[in-house]
Amino acid sequence: MTNPFDGRDDLVPKGKTLFNVHCSHCHGPNAVQGERKRDLRRLSRRYKERMPTVFYTTATTGRVAKGMPPWKGILQDEELWTIFTFLKTVQKK
């Protein structure tokens, strides 16, 4: 699975806004959150090339047992990939 907006730096501000509206209550403003299990700045380290697939699957189906709701039907795919575009910019090296 690949991000259809890969390389679209113009979407980063919109993705950041969408993230802060829908995701920051659990994952911290601008994805800055100290709790490692929820720290989305570690996605690339943890999942490497599977990062887009893991993100999309988790975002659409949720992880209800861990408190993550499914966003499918609430956010459109374009919005989810815009959030992902933002998240790629905050990954820890």
Side-chain angles (χ1 to χ4, degrees):
M1 185 171 287
T2 59
N3 176 7
F5 300 138
D6 199 26
R8 292 281 312 271
D9 293 341
D10 60 307
L11 294 176
V12 171
K14 183 177 180 182
K16 182 177 180 179
T17 297
L18 286 167
F19 180 90
N20 284 326
V21 168
H22 298 288
C23 313
S24 66
H25 59 283
C26 289
H27 296 290
N30 303 324
V32 177
Q33 212 266 21
E35 191 175 323
R36 288 186 125 177
K37 292 181 180 182
R38 294 185 181 176
D39 189 347
L40 299 183
R41 297 171 298 163
R42 299 173 151 285
L43 291 174
S44 65
R45 289 170 107 181
R46 188 171 185 181
Y47 299 111
K48 299 179 182 13
E49 68 278 345
R50 295 182 318 129
M51 182 179 158
T53 301
V54 171
F55 167 81
Y56 184 79
T57 301
T58 303
T60 56
T61 62
R63 296 181 78 189
V64 179
K66 296 185 181 248
M68 169 85 178
W71 290 97
K72 188 172 186 79
I74 297 168
L75 294 176
Q76 301 297 314
D77 280 356
E78 293 81 16
E79 292 171 305
L80 292 172
W81 286 117
T82 301
I83 290 169
F84 181 80
T85 301
F86 158 68
L87 285 175
K88 283 187 66 176
T89 68
V90 298
Q91 295 304 296
K92 290 184 176 184
K93 304 288 180 203

